[in-house]
Amino acid sequence: MDFSLTEEQTMLKDSVNRFLGKNFSFEQRRKMLADRQPMSTQLWQGLAELGVLGVPFSPEDGGYGGGGVETMLVMEALGCNLTLEPYLATVVLAGGCVARGAADWQKKILLPKIIDGSMILAFAHSEPNARFDLGHVGTRATRDGNNFVLEGEKTLVLHGSVADKFIVSARTAGDPGDARGVTLFIVEADEENLGGQEYPLFEGTRALDLQLAGVKVGPESVVGTLDQAMPLIDTVLDRAMAALCAEAVGIMDALHATTVDYLKTRQQFGQPIGRFQALQHRAVDMLVQLEQARSMALLAASKVDSSDVSERRRVVAAAKEMTGRAGRYVGQQAIQLHGGMGMTDELNVSHYFKRLTAIDVLFGNAASQRTRFATMKESGATAQMKPPRKSWVKI
Amino acid sequence: MDLNYTKEETAFRGEVREFIRGHLPGDLSRKVLEHKRLGKEDYVRWQKILFEKGWLAAGWPVEYGGTGWSAIQRFIFEDESAAAGAPRLTPFGLHMVGPVIIAFGTDHQKKQYLPRILSSEDWWCQGYSEPGSGSDLASLKTRAERKGDKYIVNGQKTWNTHGQWADMCFCLVRTSSEGKKQDGISFLLIDMHSPGITVRPIITLEGEHEVNEIWFENVEVPVQNLVGDENRGWTCAKFLLSHERTGIAGVGASKRELHYLKHIATQEQEGGKPLMEDPLFRDRVAKVEIDLMALEITCLRVASADRDGKAPGPEASILKIKGTEIQQELTELMMDAVGPYALPHLPMAWGDHWIGAHVGPDYAAPLAARYFNYRKTTIYGGSNEIQRNIIAQMVLGL
């Protein structure tokens, strides 16, 4: 049991934070939001030059060879700096599908371009009416000779409007909800019969609804094994959820620090408002939630690489639940403790709050994660006690 | 970073599990698992078994009879003990006064008391709270006046746990009323068999006798029973409160209770289905289970900081708050799980030898009482509000 970071991990964390501190500011974020800019090409290139875009990819693929912990460190930094970059969409989600599922020749084409920042990929998986059921795939891929014709609708494709290519999940067999019969395809953004509508999420991230109205792709666009993409998708989504937990912790850290500072400086009734016990206790409860969420983000980061799939899924669901719940609490209290100022767009507090709220909703909010968690099978229970026997009234 | 147990830690867990399986008496663990009333002899019985093995004072330095285990090993030991249904170790000697004597006591005090704590010859109790001094502990009024080689103690202590069984009491007493209120306090070891001591039971809401009032009337205490310097007892008191912080979360016991809760909720039926399949009930169980998973990791973070020689971070301060909230939630869920059968009040069925009729399932009898009793957890050991004050001041600097 070891919670300490290695020297390389500490360096990675410091260098990402230093780079973002120097090259990105809250004013830039606000300007990007006003300009409806989904990402900053300049910042993305800088992250590429720093090697950050290669963090989770193996050295054979030209990456840094990082695991869950390294991704966690990057996401925490991206979170507390309130960036808008497509790290989750391109590197974790779509990049994860390619790195874990694609053939070597496909990886050779795609991964170096992801890593050097010249190609943006987006993951088109969620569908209308699926709500939080991540296994629901209704989009059809019908065979047409050697080719496939894709028909269906994808929703909430993160950073879709800046993507050069999409990784699209579609059904090559079975019915929506079946675990078997899902296949991943690479679809070019400029493909014929591909339409879409772009919109912002409430915190500013831009997303796309994608219409696939008979998009024809060749057999070379298939990623991984036909009909059997679901385990791969689950793996990648678990990594994405663990990454979001880390981003949330980075945000909660920053938000808590900002709030405590505010309590020390804001004067009312002739004293700093942090002297009032009612407010002190809220600040402490924020810390309790934050540290509990941090514990789960650490656990998720260390288990996403685990070969025990059921343990991985259980831990990730629990971590997503905990960070979702903690994020709501910390965000709500931060607004309350900042008073009217917390309500303004001008202060970063509201931006943190909205991003935390979005993170909770993405891939299933706390309530849905609890249901997922409760209905999963436990793996290797540690308790060894005998069950109590029920005995009825003896008269 | 690696959140898996090392090979050595896993082997250690195996060794602990093996020992407990071979040495924890079945009748004793059944009492614990089924929430039966435990007597002094139950606690002492298990402590003597651990003492013989050399595992009783896990946190003490080796030269005083400790194990030399790391904080992670101590966590594993507590985890395994709790899972198997071992009685909790009575903390007053082992986790409270013992470490204070080791840190501040004289050689004579160490020789006199430490071996008797280990052998369970002395049962210790705590003389901290007073009727007028609860959360504001430093306002305490029990006086100790020095007369020659004795202190004469007069006053009243309260919320004294298991004082009815105790041989010794560690007491905070006022030896000076000058200066700051914290500066006139001394830490005294008092023989409970001394003339002038009266122990009166306080019956708590569930009907049990766990705590007492103690009256001191001209009780003579030899001056060699003063620990540390006169008027410097607050230092000992603070040391004591900060000791064994990971234990206070009670993660092992809560994991055991969660397991028990799931068994009850699987057997209880609602609308022809196990209660565990009811979405609302299942949701509450999932929430507390996830809180507990997180707390376990938070505890291990504190334990590993201890091993690395780092001062405990803010995470240490949250253990008491979150740990007790989880304990309370589990007792509440268990009571809710048996529905109307929480209502019958059958204190005789909480004993081990009850062979009379139960009303409803036999596991139901102690559950309401436990729910009532566990309201104490957020009050004792520095109420959770006091914990929040401490964190606000010491960690957040408010």
Side-chain angles (χ1 to χ4, degrees):
Chain A
M1 190 67 61
D2 182 7
F3 290 87
S4 55
L5 296 178
T6 63
E7 214 172 296
E8 290 80 30
Q9 288 168 339
T10 308
M11 273 169 59
L12 172 69
K13 178 186 160 142
D14 291 347
S15 67
V16 180
N17 271 314
R18 210 175 315 121
F19 172 81
L20 291 172
K22 224 186 272 176
N23 294 284
F24 189 68
S25 66
F26 178 59
E27 287 64 44
Q28 272 166 279
R29 175 188 170 89
R30 289 189 76 208
K31 183 161 189 320
M32 284 171 69
L33 295 180
D35 297 346
R36 301 180 183 188
Q37 215 184 312
M39 64 178 290
S40 150
T41 315
Q42 205 187 343
L43 195 66
W44 192 247
Q45 273 311 318
L47 287 167
E49 277 157 36
L50 201 62
V52 178
L53 305 189
V55 160
F57 302 113
S58 71
E60 301 90 79
D61 295 331
Y64 176 90
V69 175
E70 284 75 14
T71 304
M72 171 186 84
L73 297 173
V74 173
M75 290 300 293
E76 269 187 56
L78 293 171
C80 73
N81 285 284
L82 277 171
T83 59
L84 290 159
E85 302 313 298
Y87 199 84
L88 187 78
T90 298
V91 177
V92 181
L93 285 166
C97 289
V98 172
R100 295 176 172 271
D104 284 343
W105 67 268
Q106 290 170 316
K107 286 197 218 173
K108 279 203 182 88
I109 295 173
L110 299 172
L111 293 182
K113 291 188 177 163
I114 292 178
I115 294 169
D116 73 15
S118 60
M119 187 191 283
I120 303 294
L121 260 67
F123 185 46
H125 176 61
S126 300
E127 297 195 0
N129 308 321
R131 206 176 145 78
F132 294 137
D133 179 4
L134 301 172
H136 178 102
V137 177
T139 295
R140 294 256 159 213
T142 324
R143 269 191 188 278
D144 175 16
N146 269 338
N147 299 325
F148 294 88
V149 179
L150 273 57
E151 216 137 350
E153 211 176 320
K154 294 290 179 180
T155 187
L156 283 160
V157 180
L158 301 174
H159 283 100
S161 69
V162 285
D164 302 296
K165 296 176 199 292
F166 296 99
I167 304 290
V168 179
S169 58
R171 193 156 281 290
T172 35
D175 295 312
D178 286 355
R180 262 186 64 93
V182 175
T183 305
L184 290 178
F185 296 91
I186 303 169
V187 176
E188 302 291 330
D190 55 7
E191 207 66 68
E192 249 177 80
N193 302 328
L194 187 63
Q197 186 199 358
E198 198 216 13
Y199 50 89
L201 308 187
F202 53 61
E203 34 67 272
T205 301
R206 299 198 75 89
L208 193 66
D209 271 8
L210 208 55
Q211 280 91 38
L212 301 118
V215 176
K216 198 182 261 186
V217 293
E220 74 286 352
S221 65
V222 171
V223 175
T225 317
L226 207 67
D227 294 345
Q228 287 175 28
M230 227 35 237
L232 169 64
I233 293 172
D234 280 339
T235 306
V236 170
L237 285 174
D238 276 353
R239 286 166 173 271
M241 284 190 253
L244 282 173
C245 291
E247 185 187 345
V249 167
I251 292 174
M252 282 188 259
D253 241 343
L255 200 44
H256 187 251
T258 305
T259 305
V260 170
D261 276 349
Y262 187 76
L263 293 177
K264 288 177 185 170
T265 47
R266 170 73 175 168
Q267 303 268 331
Q268 288 288 275
F269 305 103
Q271 55 187 319
I273 59 172
R275 295 262 169 83
F276 298 115
Q277 196 181 37
L279 308 194
Q280 289 179 352
H281 285 194
R282 281 183 196 231
V284 171
D285 286 337
M286 287 168 77
L287 179 71
V288 171
Q289 293 291 315
L290 158 61
E291 292 303 331
Q292 286 283 85
R294 193 195 308 279
S295 288
M296 289 311 290
L298 287 167
L299 187 63
S302 80
K303 296 288 181 191
V304 284
D305 304 315
S306 166
S307 55
D308 183 342
V309 175
S310 60
E311 190 197 22
R312 184 197 78 205
R313 300 196 65 187
R314 230 174 100 74
V315 163
V316 168
K320 185 70 174 46
E321 195 280 337
M322 183 76 241
T323 44
R325 183 151 48 98
R328 291 234 174 155
Y329 184 82
V330 170
Q332 290 165 1
Q333 296 309 318
I335 299 263
Q336 181 68 22
L337 293 176
H338 276 85
M341 283 309 292
M343 296 297 298
T344 64
D345 180 67
E346 188 188 325
L347 216 61
N348 60 11
V349 170
S350 63
H351 293 246
Y352 281 130
F353 171 61
K354 287 192 286 183
R355 181 61 189 158
L356 282 175
T357 312
I359 288 174
D360 176 42
V361 178
L362 282 171
F363 309 124
N365 63 14
S368 81
Q369 297 294 346
R370 276 199 296 282
T371 304
R372 230 161 71 83
F373 176 82
T375 48
M376 279 175 190
K377 278 210 190 87
E378 276 180 61
S379 73
T382 48
Q384 30 156 345
M385 52 177 287
K386 292 179 209 117
R389 287 171 64 98
K390 176 159 178 161
S391 60
W392 294 102
V393 183
K394 305 164 204 142
I395 293 174
Chain B
M1 185 176 308
D2 182 4
L3 272 58
N4 295 301
Y5 288 101
T6 62
K7 222 189 276 169
E8 292 74 28
E9 286 162 349
T10 305
F12 175 76
R13 186 182 283 279
E15 189 192 346
V16 171
R17 185 174 295 186
E18 198 55 38
F19 176 80
I20 293 175
R21 190 179 289 146
H23 293 83
L24 175 62
D27 59 318
L28 196 50
S29 63
R30 204 164 45 248
K31 276 192 194 182
V32 173
L33 296 175
E34 294 174 2
H35 308 123
K36 296 283 164 67
R37 194 183 284 124
L38 294 184
K40 179 179 181 178
E41 65 286 354
D42 294 314
Y43 293 105
V44 168
R45 192 172 159 202
W46 178 233
Q47 284 176 188
K48 286 192 163 165
I49 292 168
L50 286 178
F51 172 54
E52 215 159 288
K53 175 74 176 165
W55 283 1
L56 183 60
W60 291 14
V62 179
E63 63 265 39
Y64 296 107
T67 54
W69 289 342
S70 69
I72 301 271
Q73 284 176 304
R74 298 207 295 274
F75 182 89
I76 292 171
F77 177 75
E78 279 169 34
D79 199 43
E80 286 296 321
S81 302
R88 74 186 179 101
L89 303 180
T90 179
F92 304 103
L94 285 166
H95 301 152
M96 294 180 175
V97 77
V100 169
I101 291 174
I102 290 169
F104 302 100
T106 61
D107 284 346
H108 173 77
Q109 287 165 345
K110 290 174 188 172
K111 279 201 198 95
Q112 170 88 10
Y113 297 113
L114 298 180
R116 296 172 64 90
I117 292 174
L118 291 175
S119 64
S120 301
E121 268 171 279
D122 287 341
W123 185 284
W124 283 81
C125 67
Q126 183 181 39
Y128 267 34
S129 299
E130 296 183 5
S133 303
S135 289
D136 182 11
L137 184 60
S139 70
L140 58 90
K141 291 194 178 70
T142 295
R143 294 198 62 83
E145 277 171 281
R146 180 133 182 200
K147 289 241 167 91
D149 57 355
K150 293 191 179 79
Y151 285 104
I152 309 297
V153 179
N154 279 286
Q156 188 191 352
K157 293 288 179 182
T158 192
W159 312 131
N160 166 280
T161 301
H162 292 153
Q164 71 269 35
W165 302 339
D167 305 295
M168 292 294 298
C169 178
F170 58 92
C171 240
L172 290 179
V173 293
R174 184 155 299 288
T175 38
S176 165
S177 46
E178 279 163 32
K180 264 173 58 185
K181 59 186 178 182
Q182 285 85 354
D183 292 341
I185 292 171
S186 299
F187 194 97
L188 274 189
L189 310 178
I190 301 178
D191 185 338
M192 288 294 283
H193 309 295
S194 313
I197 295 182
T198 312
V199 178
R200 288 188 197 157
I202 298 174
I203 303 302
T204 39
L205 74 174
E206 80 283 16
E208 290 290 276
H209 172 203
E210 194 175 49
V211 287
N212 304 278
E213 291 180 306
I214 313 184
W215 300 79
F216 297 91
E217 218 173 321
N218 293 318
V219 176
E220 295 185 359
V221 181
V223 285
Q224 67 256 35
N225 283 19
L226 172 73
V227 179
D229 295 335
E230 195 177 85
N231 298 331
R232 286 276 164 271
W234 194 247
T235 313
C236 300
K238 278 196 299 190
F239 173 84
L240 184 153
L241 289 172
S242 68
H243 209 75
E244 290 277 327
R245 276 204 273 189
T246 51
I248 200 158
V251 167
S254 286
K255 280 161 73 180
R256 177 187 72 216
E257 295 305 315
L258 174 73
H259 203 72
Y260 196 87
L261 165 68
K262 286 184 179 175
H263 276 292
I264 294 177
T266 306
Q267 296 184 57
E268 290 294 317
Q269 302 273 316
E270 176 143 304
K273 282 202 298 195
L275 179 63
M276 207 48 213
E277 289 172 26
D278 171 68
L280 291 179
F281 195 82
R282 192 181 62 194
D283 192 69
R284 289 175 65 195
V285 175
K287 198 183 237 172
V288 73
E289 182 167 6
I290 291 168
D291 275 341
L292 185 54
M293 276 175 87
L295 187 66
E296 181 167 13
I297 298 297
T298 310
C299 269
L300 287 164
R301 284 167 58 197
V302 174
S304 92
D306 176 284
R307 183 195 52 198
D308 300 343
K310 291 180 204 143
E315 61 273 14
S317 315
I318 76 170
L319 299 180
K320 202 262 169 173
I321 295 177
K322 206 64 219 178
T324 50
E325 285 176 0
I326 289 170
Q327 289 162 30
Q328 289 185 338
E329 179 65 13
L330 285 167
T331 60
E332 193 169 353
L333 277 163
M334 265 187 260
M335 178 182 72
D336 288 348
V338 293
Y341 283 127
L343 290 169
H345 180 63
L346 301 164
M348 53 287 191
W350 308 342
D352 194 33
H353 302 297
W354 174 249
I355 48 163
H358 284 279
V359 180
D362 54 7
Y363 53 67
L367 296 181
R370 268 175 65 78
Y371 163 68
F372 296 136
N373 179 272
Y374 265 61
R375 304 317 296 173
K376 72 188 175 189
T377 61
T378 47
I379 301 167
Y380 67 30
S383 74
N384 286 19
E385 287 70 30
I386 289 292
Q387 301 296 333
R388 288 184 173 90
N389 289 350
I390 292 170
I391 298 171
Q393 285 157 28
M394 309 301 287
V395 180
L396 304 182
L398 291 171

